[in-house]
Each structure stands twice: as structure tokens, then as C-alpha cells.
Amino acid sequence: MFGLIAFAATIAATAFGYLQSRSFVRRRLAYVDAVHNGLAPILAGAAAFVVATPVVGILPLVGGGTALLFGAGVGAGVAAGARDTRLRRIGV
């Protein structure tokens, strides 16, 4: 039972990180050239992992995998948001 709750929390954290970072990049960082660099999603994901690590250390049901997947979700969201803004610029 606790495993299912931990799995659901991990999926929710990953989806939340992806959706929020994609939305933020599309709304606020559309005209920032640095976000279109290939290194931006990696740096954002690594920063999210570092921030999430102490948080999951405190919570009893989730662990390091949750922080890792949260960071991956944020990185993927940044990449998707940057791709969306590039496509909107060229009119696709």
C-alpha cells in the first residue's frame, strides 16, 4: 500500500515539474536566448534535483528516485517549452 502511494507521489511530482517548467519557459522566457541553448535543460534539471534532494530526505514515503525523476521532468519541460517558443516564432 505504501509503495503505491510513493509511486503516485513520484508520478505527481514528475508531472508537476514538467508542466510548470514548460509553462514558465513558454510564458516568461520566450525571448531569452539562453533558454534555447542545449545546456539549459540540463542545468535546470540538475538545479531541480539539488533543490528536491533535501525535501525528499525529510519525507518518509519518497526517496532519491523521486528527486531524480523530478529533475528529469523539469529538464524535459524546459526543453519542450523552448521548442514550443521556437515553433511559435517561425509560425508553425
Side-chain angles (χ1 to χ4, degrees):
M1 184 65 172
F2 288 118
L4 184 62
I5 294 170
F7 180 70
T10 300
I11 296 299
T14 303
F16 178 78
Y18 175 80
L19 294 171
Q20 289 297 314
S21 62
R22 181 178 178 195
S23 174
F24 183 78
V25 169
R26 289 176 71 185
R27 286 182 295 111
R28 302 279 179 151
L29 301 178
Y31 300 107
V32 176
D33 288 334
V35 79
H36 300 290
N37 187 358
L39 193 59
I42 296 169
L43 291 176
F49 171 71
V50 168
V51 168
T53 300
V55 174
V56 299
I58 296 170
L59 299 175
L61 292 178
V62 293
T66 302
L68 186 65
L69 285 175
F70 176 72
V74 168
V78 169
R83 184 177 54 247
D84 290 345
T85 57
R86 280 194 304 271
L87 290 176
R88 237 189 304 173
R89 270 196 222 169
I90 61 173
V92 174

